[in-house]
Amino acid sequence: MPGEAPSLAQLIDSRTREGELWEPLADGRLRCYACGHRCVIPPGQRGICKVRYNTGGRLLVPWGYVAGLQLDPIEKKPFFHAYPGSKALSFGMLGCDLHCAYCFSGDTPVLTPSGVVSIKAIFDAAHDPTPIMGGVVRFPQELRVVTATGNLASASKVFRHSYRGPMSVIKAMYLPAIRCTPDHRWLATTDPSGQGVAEVPAQELTPNHFVLVPKAVGFGNRITLDVADVLRNVTATFSTPRSLTLAEVGSIMEASEHGESSRVIGARLGKDPSYVRHVRSKVRRGRWVYEATQGIAIGSHFLIPIVSVTAEPFEGDVYNLEVEGEHSYVAGFCAVKNCQNALTSQALRDPAMGVPPQDVTPEQVVALAQRSGARVLTSTYNEPLITSEWAVHIFRAAKSAGLVCSYVSNGNATAEVLDYIRPYVDLYKVD
């Protein structure tokens, strides 16, 4: 229709150029080398990423735009040991070669200003269901949730997907077991002092980790929880009862650090030396914490030890939220992340996703990095492998300006694409 706004697909397709990571096949087909799928694409069809497609036997690829541009500390990329303290300018396009399950089971409790609500109930109460690949997205009306920092943020979307596969079962001390897909990220640390908090996939959590529960919330209304009801079916089990106070455990660790033997410490406390060695082992392996044990918090969070991480088969519906701002929420009383890059990575795959592309030149990106004092330029947000031709075009200009170039990728690469980007990429993070 005259005057009708172009679709996202039309906006993306108008910003393309013939790619370099492909080879022609018979009957007008071609093979793309940008990612490990090595898609064979017939004429008029798209690869699995949806943004590389075959037109007349030629592969057209994204070009000349960004969908995200952000200045961050390099540690957030996360490159913790590369140029620490420097700034990184991140850019991204649209599309991804993966569609990750990043969800919880429907009974997972989510913390809101009015109390605890199951994530399925949030989905059921939301409006405007929109079909997406493998599920539905709905749009909550004026729903706010508690974030990882204890503040409030709006939940703009709630997703329901069909999922069949393993579920990670996370059991933290005193808390109900939480079931989520293995790659869902939790905020956790192995440091009893609360330092070194990182986003850890559920399947990588161990009993040496502590999960975070916000200690205080940043709003005035009091939340009343019926703890007896929430924990009705929870049984706390301890393999070795502990008769020492937190202060006594602390004194054992401090005395040990000053070189006192377990025999001397045990005599002072009236304990067998073997028990003192047991206490030290528990603390050093993260099973007991004398500064932040079992809900006694340092700083802004409780540090709750993980008791076990197991896996179980699952088939059914799973759910997730998209939360504005922090892209985190409190699920099962623990701080977790949502997939903050879904808007860019799932463009053209899910109708609810996508942001308008913004035209830009490599010289403009490099000039912005220089004005911002960035030392590093990073291709990220969507999957950079599938937009490598454009990234390399930018990196050529960046290298001439003395910038360090980096990728934050899912790692689903081919030898061809790695050889292609090798002369220009100094830092490569599989994340």
Side-chain angles (χ1 to χ4, degrees):
M1 294 177 59
E4 185 176 352
S7 67
L8 181 61
Q10 291 170 328
L11 291 174
I12 294 174
D13 291 352
S14 66
R15 294 165 171 83
T16 57
R17 181 175 293 189
E18 184 172 341
E20 299 180 61
L21 293 163
W22 64 283
E23 67 174 359
L25 301 175
D27 303 321
R29 299 177 303 150
L30 58 86
R31 178 180 284 110
C32 176
Y33 291 136
C35 76
H37 291 292
R38 295 181 176 271
C39 292
V40 174
I41 309 175
Q45 299 297 312
R46 298 177 182 270
I48 197 168
C49 64
K50 303 299 183 183
V51 295
R52 300 171 72 90
Y53 61 96
N54 183 341
T55 294
R58 298 183 304 126
L59 180 68
L60 296 188
V61 303
W63 195 268
Y65 75 88
V66 295
L69 199 59
Q70 177 71 36
L71 185 70
D72 292 308
I74 193 170
E75 289 82 2
K76 189 178 176 182
K77 290 300 88 192
F79 292 113
F80 291 100
H81 305 298
Y83 309 103
S86 63
K87 297 177 182 178
L89 181 65
S90 296
F91 67 92
M93 303 184 82
L94 295 169
C96 184
D97 60 317
L98 300 181
H99 191 197
C100 302
Y102 206 62
C103 306
F104 287 99
S105 58
D107 59 351
T108 301
V110 173
L111 190 57
T112 75
S114 58
V116 173
V117 183
S118 76
I119 197 167
K120 180 180 184 301
I122 292 175
F123 177 85
D124 291 341
H127 299 277
D128 302 323
T130 302
I132 58 176
M133 178 176 286
V136 174
V137 59
R138 289 185 173 183
F139 303 87
Q141 301 296 308
E142 300 181 356
L143 172 67
R144 296 196 298 171
V145 297
V146 180
T147 68
T149 61
N151 294 308
L152 292 179
S154 296
S156 57
K157 300 181 181 70
V158 55
F159 302 90
R160 184 185 69 194
H161 287 280
S162 298
Y163 176 73
R164 180 180 182 182
M167 290 282 268
S168 293
V169 183
I170 312 301
K171 180 67 178 75
M173 190 173 289
Y174 299 138
L175 297 179
I178 299 297
R179 291 164 174 79
C180 65
T181 49
D183 56 349
H184 201 117
R185 296 182 185 183
W186 294 53
L187 294 175
T189 179
T190 56
D191 187 339
S193 70
Q195 302 300 309
V197 173
E199 299 174 18
V200 183
Q203 62 188 343
E204 296 179 15
L205 291 170
T206 71
N208 291 327
H209 281 96
F210 302 89
V211 291
L212 275 64
V213 175
K215 182 180 179 182
V217 294
F219 53 96
N221 296 333
R222 180 180 298 275
I223 295 179
T224 301
L225 303 180
D226 186 343
V227 176
D229 181 65
V230 171
L231 303 180
R232 185 181 305 278
N233 298 318
V234 176
T235 302
T237 302
F238 301 88
S239 58
T240 304
R242 189 177 73 187
S243 59
L244 300 178
T245 66
L246 294 178
E248 288 172 326
V249 175
S251 70
I252 288 176
M253 300 308 297
E254 290 171 5
S256 298
E257 290 169 3
H258 286 90
E260 289 192 26
S261 69
S262 57
R263 180 180 59 80
V264 172
I265 298 171
R268 185 168 63 249
L269 295 176
K271 297 292 183 180
D272 188 273
S274 65
Y275 186 76
V276 173
R277 290 192 293 270
H278 168 76
V279 170
R280 287 193 306 218
S281 174
K282 285 284 190 181
V283 172
R284 288 169 177 168
R285 288 187 294 119
R287 300 301 297 271
W288 285 2
V289 188
Y290 65 91
E291 291 181 319
T293 301
Q294 302 167 2
I296 307 301
I298 290 177
S300 60
H301 291 83
F302 296 98
L303 300 180
I304 309 298
I306 288 181
V307 176
S308 64
V309 181
T310 58
E312 63 182 30
F314 181 89
E315 183 173 2
D317 291 331
V318 290
Y319 301 81
N320 192 16
L321 297 176
E322 182 167 314
V323 180
E324 297 178 357
E326 290 185 32
H327 298 289
S328 66
Y329 55 101
V330 178
F333 308 104
C334 301
V336 301
K337 299 291 288 186
N338 68 206
C339 183
Q340 70 184 77
N341 294 335
L343 281 175
T344 53
S345 67
Q346 301 306 310
L348 302 188
R349 178 178 283 121
D350 288 350
M353 302 301 174
V355 295
Q358 302 296 315
D359 293 330
V360 71
T361 67
E363 291 73 23
Q364 288 173 325
V365 175
V366 171
L368 178 59
Q370 292 176 315
R371 289 198 306 272
S372 304
R375 185 172 185 178
V376 179
L377 201 56
T378 303
S379 184
T380 181
Y381 299 141
N382 72 313
E383 173 47 52
L385 290 171
I386 65 170
T387 53
S388 287
E389 288 93 342
W390 174 239
V392 163
H393 196 61
I394 291 178
F395 286 166
R396 285 173 180 152
K399 285 292 198 181
S400 297
L403 295 175
V404 175
C405 300
S406 64
Y407 258 39
V408 178
S409 165
N410 64 28
N412 185 29
T414 63
E416 291 87 348
V417 72
L418 292 179
D419 287 342
Y420 180 77
I421 67 174
R422 186 187 305 275
Y424 309 100
V425 175
D426 304 293
L427 309 172
Y428 191 103
K429 172 70 176 181
V430 176
D431 186 13

